[in-house]
Amino acid sequence: RTEFALKEIMSSGGAEDDIPQAERKTVTDFCYLLDKSKQLFNGLRDLPQYGQKQWQSYFGRTFDVYTKLWKFQQQHRQVLDNRYGLKRWQIGEIASKIGQLYYHYYLRTSETSYLNEAFSFYSAIRQRSYYSQVNKEDRPELVVKKLRYYARFIVVCLLLNKMDVVKDLVKELSDEIEDYTHRFNTEDQVEWNLVLQEVAAFIEADPVMVLNDDNTIVITSNRLSETGAPLLEQGMIVGQLALADALIIGNCNNQVKFSELTIDMFRMLQALEREPMNLASQMNKPGMQESTEKPARRENPHKYLLYKPTFSQLYTFLAASFKELPANSVLLIYLSATGVFPSGRSDSEGPYDFGGVLTNSNRDIINGDAIHKRNQSYKEMHCLHPGDLYPFTRKPLFIIVDSSNSVAYKNFTNLFGQPLVCLLSPTAYPKALQDQSQRGSLFTLFKKAFLFVSGLSSMRRGLWEKCQDYLRKINRDIAQLLTHSRSIDQSFLQFFGDEFLRLLLTRFIFCSATMRMHKIFRETRNYPESYPQLPRDETVENPHLQKHILELASILDVRNVFLENTLDDY
């Protein structure tokens, strides 16, 4: 590349001798940094996707080179314009790569502040119109770079809940796709239109809108805020375990998705993160922070996001998480997947006799698959059975199963005496709610689930904030009920010391109590369950909690959808 660039200089600027030595060196140095940055960036693909340590020094080196390259082109812009012919889209490409680096660093670390950094670089590209001249060049591959930039920017904005920016970007991307397909008659037109459809469906998946007085939409977040989880109060005896790692798995057929992220995965990953902070005030360059430096607050748990994994992929990531789990830490597994039911009758009731949830078969070629289909006495191969998770219960394990066969995981056995909890979604919802499944599960709607089952699709901000305050009071009372229970399994209390798990547990109990009181949730399969079982009279059917739910319903003027004398109905 360096020789090529210098030849270009010679052909455009006359004899090589006419070019000052300093300017020639500037071009040579720029070409070197550009080549090095591309080489390191491409090498990121070869890093193992699992394991938290091997990649950090490589990321650090890549950031180093890109930082130098970015500053270099800023300092020597005029020389590079004149002698190298640096185009604005090339500057845009460098900025886009830095944005991608920050985004991938977020995926590796789960530190939401890196999303803000990715956003600032992607925003700069748009504000400074770095890609604006691309459409004048007769090169479809350059336009594709621009379209990919838009798609990546949209993902970052979705994760930061910047929905106003998302809507603007979608409109711009739509215009760009139309121009691209009109000019180049390419084969990837259908794919790009599918991208537009996916993001539009993703934006519309939220079934409840909160509105300002001027009818603009209030952006709500599932992330953990400082007032999110109920505080531990004096006298609450809970474990000291901390959530360190999470596998978020999405394998639901026909669920809204964008960029290998289903709506359930999206909501769940945010529930395991704190609200982003400004990175500049927090830490140094990514990959460069010394292990001795302690962040100002506890980090987010590390996450793996697995979209439609095969059994072998899922097990590989699970084993990596298990291996690297620190002492006194918890591994969380969230399974949002289509249920797999046992194909034949079984005389036994073991951990492989109740089915489980679907794993992807597309990328796993297993010998004898056709034979297995014919013989009903064999177990389903492309399925995560409860028994598959038994080896991992040697360490504290917190499982959430959101599936039509979640109850398969009710038949767990705690073999090793470590803390173990499974929270299980309803296996079926009342008919009135079933057509919503494409837009995500009721189980991951969290704060908005109560509004949704009450038939509300929009509400004013003032009322929303009043409800949030009351919900915080309910969560505090649930924490009291749980920690003062005489018959609760100790696993629940072991996990209750971690604020993420504490909020998930209090939300689960609130959700379960609400559904048991709702007039249209009348079948047992409509209710969430858990392993070990919660003492109903002290938690999900507690009269004090039921009174709170009716009061919340009164605030929203939806008391008529709940049963008043719930205890008499059992």
Side-chain angles (χ1 to χ4, degrees):
R1 283 261 336 171
T2 307
E3 285 177 22
F4 173 75
L6 289 171
K7 281 177 188 171
E8 286 288 300
I9 291 165
M10 286 174 66
S11 63
S12 61
E16 196 175 335
D17 294 341
D18 295 345
I19 301 163
Q21 186 69 31
E23 292 188 8
R24 193 178 312 141
K25 187 177 184 309
T26 297
V27 174
T28 307
D29 289 350
F30 177 75
C31 289
Y32 169 77
L33 284 171
L34 193 62
D35 285 353
K36 187 71 179 166
S37 68
K38 286 179 180 175
Q39 184 187 335
L40 285 167
F41 191 88
N42 292 337
L44 293 172
R45 297 188 191 112
D46 302 326
L47 292 176
Q49 289 178 289
Y50 47 85
Q52 293 183 45
K53 301 289 174 274
Q54 307 95 316
W55 53 271
Q56 280 181 315
S57 60
Y58 191 95
F59 256 89
R61 290 205 309 279
T62 311
F63 266 109
D64 260 351
V65 171
Y66 270 98
T67 304
K68 286 175 188 167
L69 179 63
W70 186 251
K71 286 179 179 171
F72 194 89
Q73 63 82 22
Q74 285 178 318
Q75 289 162 357
H76 304 283
R77 181 74 59 83
Q78 196 169 355
V79 173
L80 292 171
D81 281 351
N82 295 338
R83 300 298 185 188
Y84 179 81
L86 185 67
K87 293 186 166 61
R88 287 188 68 72
W89 66 261
Q90 290 172 304
I91 302 167
E93 271 297 279
I94 298 168
S96 180
K97 289 281 198 300
I98 296 171
Q100 287 176 64
L101 272 178
Y102 275 116
Y103 173 67
H104 284 289
Y105 205 77
Y106 155 73
L107 290 179
R108 294 268 184 176
T109 62
S110 299
E111 175 49 69
T112 37
S113 302
Y114 293 117
L115 281 174
N116 282 333
E117 296 299 305
F119 177 81
S120 65
F121 272 90
Y122 285 149
S123 288
I125 293 169
R126 184 164 167 246
Q127 285 162 3
R128 297 171 193 174
S129 307
Y130 282 139
Y131 282 125
S132 62
Q133 300 302 307
V134 161
N135 294 20
K136 293 181 181 175
E137 302 202 25
D138 195 27
R139 292 172 62 186
E141 72 277 11
L142 288 185
V143 183
V144 169
K145 283 179 188 286
K146 185 178 186 177
L147 300 182
R148 284 181 179 156
Y149 149 73
Y150 268 107
R152 291 184 182 115
F153 194 7
I154 287 168
V155 171
V156 167
C157 291
L158 284 171
L159 288 165
L160 286 170
N161 296 318
K162 294 182 183 288
M163 303 313 274
D164 291 347
V165 184
V166 171
K167 285 171 185 171
D168 290 343
L169 291 174
V170 169
K171 189 176 184 313
E172 289 172 29
L173 177 58
S174 177
D175 293 342
E176 293 289 346
I177 291 170
E178 195 174 326
D179 180 66
Y180 167 65
T181 52
H182 180 70
R183 283 173 62 215
F184 296 110
N185 193 23
T186 57
E187 292 176 5
D188 56 357
Q189 179 179 355
V190 175
E191 291 168 40
W192 282 109
N193 283 328
L194 185 62
V195 168
L196 281 178
Q197 287 166 26
E198 282 185 352
V199 72
F202 208 90
I203 296 167
E204 289 163 15
D206 195 339
V208 182
M209 285 189 299
V210 180
L211 301 172
N212 285 310
D213 291 337
D214 60 358
N215 284 341
T216 53
I217 296 171
V218 177
I219 304 304
T220 57
S221 172
N222 283 328
R223 286 197 175 94
L224 183 67
S225 63
E226 288 183 14
T227 57
L231 295 173
L232 291 175
E233 296 171 20
Q234 206 168 358
M236 289 184 177
I237 299 167
V238 296
Q240 299 301 306
L241 297 172
L243 178 60
D245 230 61
L247 265 76
I248 297 177
I249 295 144
N251 195 11
C252 276
N253 294 332
N254 304 320
Q255 196 178 88
V256 167
K257 71 163 233 347
F258 184 62
S259 180
E260 301 217 329
L261 202 61
T262 66
I263 194 74
D264 278 351
M265 291 171 72
F266 173 75
R267 288 170 182 159
M268 195 66 205
L269 80 87
Q270 292 204 337
L272 299 180
E273 292 177 348
R274 291 175 173 80
E275 287 294 352
M277 288 175 69
N278 190 336
L279 190 65
S281 62
Q282 271 298 98
M283 56 185 71
N284 304 325
K285 191 164 53 204
M288 295 290 106
Q289 194 174 340
E290 293 296 322
S291 57
T292 52
E293 287 180 38
K294 295 211 170 164
R297 54 181 186 155
R298 246 195 62 204
E299 296 172 352
N300 291 326
H302 171 262
K303 298 184 296 296
Y304 289 120
L305 307 175
L306 303 179
Y307 174 68
K308 297 202 168 179
T310 60
F311 177 81
S312 50
Q313 285 170 328
L314 199 162
Y315 231 57
T316 303
F317 280 87
L318 199 46
S321 279
F322 180 83
K323 177 175 176 263
E324 295 196 342
L325 197 69
N328 300 316
S329 295
V330 182
L331 171 60
L332 181 146
I333 303 169
Y334 171 72
L335 296 164
S336 162
T338 304
V340 176
F341 298 89
S343 50
R345 289 186 178 179
S346 174
D347 296 331
S348 61
E349 290 198 345
Y352 287 88
D353 293 318
F354 297 94
V357 299
L358 190 67
T359 56
N360 197 356
S361 58
N362 296 355
R363 288 167 286 192
D364 261 351
I365 298 165
I366 299 173
N367 294 332
D369 196 22
I371 300 166
H372 144 74
K373 290 292 181 206
R374 286 203 300 273
N375 192 331
Q376 297 235 322
S377 66
Y378 293 132
K379 307 302 178 196
E380 173 58 57
M381 209 180 285
H382 304 297
C383 169
L384 188 75
H385 298 267
D388 294 324
L389 297 178
Y390 277 23
F392 304 102
T393 61
R394 287 175 169 84
K395 293 182 180 179
L397 193 62
F398 193 99
I399 304 166
I400 302 171
V401 186
D402 197 346
S403 172
S404 54
N405 191 25
S406 60
V407 288
Y409 294 79
K410 197 170 67 168
N411 305 288
F412 241 90
T413 307
N414 191 338
L415 298 175
F416 303 105
Q418 290 292 312
L420 171 66
V421 161
C422 303
L423 304 183
L424 312 171
S425 73
T427 54
Y429 291 100
K431 280 184 181 169
L433 302 174
Q434 280 171 4
D435 61 342
Q436 297 293 325
S437 59
Q438 258 192 306
R439 295 166 71 176
S441 165
L442 192 57
F443 214 45
T444 54
L445 264 182
F446 301 123
K447 293 184 282 194
K448 290 186 175 178
F450 190 89
L451 310 178
F452 179 59
V453 298
S454 302
L456 299 169
S457 59
S458 67
M459 67 173 1
R460 291 289 162 196
R461 181 179 197 147
L463 186 56
W464 166 259
E465 287 170 355
K466 188 177 179 183
C467 288
Q468 292 310 297
D469 286 341
Y470 197 76
L471 205 47
R472 279 190 278 274
K473 175 178 164 31
I474 293 176
N475 281 342
R476 281 198 301 273
D477 285 0
I478 291 172
Q480 290 278 1
L481 291 173
L482 209 128
T483 51
H484 289 85
S485 166
R486 293 177 182 276
S487 55
I488 196 164
D489 189 282
Q490 287 300 301
S491 284
F492 290 102
L493 299 178
Q494 288 287 327
F495 291 131
F496 211 67
D498 180 271
E499 57 187 327
F500 289 104
L501 300 180
R502 183 158 69 247
L503 188 55
L504 288 173
L505 283 167
T506 52
R507 281 173 169 171
F508 174 80
I509 290 169
F510 174 70
C511 168
S512 194
T514 298
M515 288 174 178
R516 285 166 187 277
M517 291 184 69
H518 200 289
K519 285 179 180 175
I520 66 168
F521 287 77
R522 295 320 317 138
E523 296 179 57
T524 311
R525 61 193 190 134
N526 296 159
Y527 306 141
E529 298 201 45
S530 67
Y531 170 87
Q533 280 198 336
L534 285 161
R536 284 188 190 177
D537 56 331
E538 293 180 290
T539 55
V540 296
E541 290 175 8
N542 179 277
H544 182 63
L545 177 54
Q546 291 176 337
K547 185 165 166 284
H548 276 332
I549 289 169
L550 289 176
E551 283 170 14
L552 181 59
S554 295
I555 292 170
L556 292 164
D557 199 21
V558 290
R559 194 156 172 155
N560 60 310
V561 302
F562 292 96
L563 297 164
E564 296 279 342
N565 304 313
T566 318
L567 290 177
D568 300 339
D569 296 317
Y570 285 94

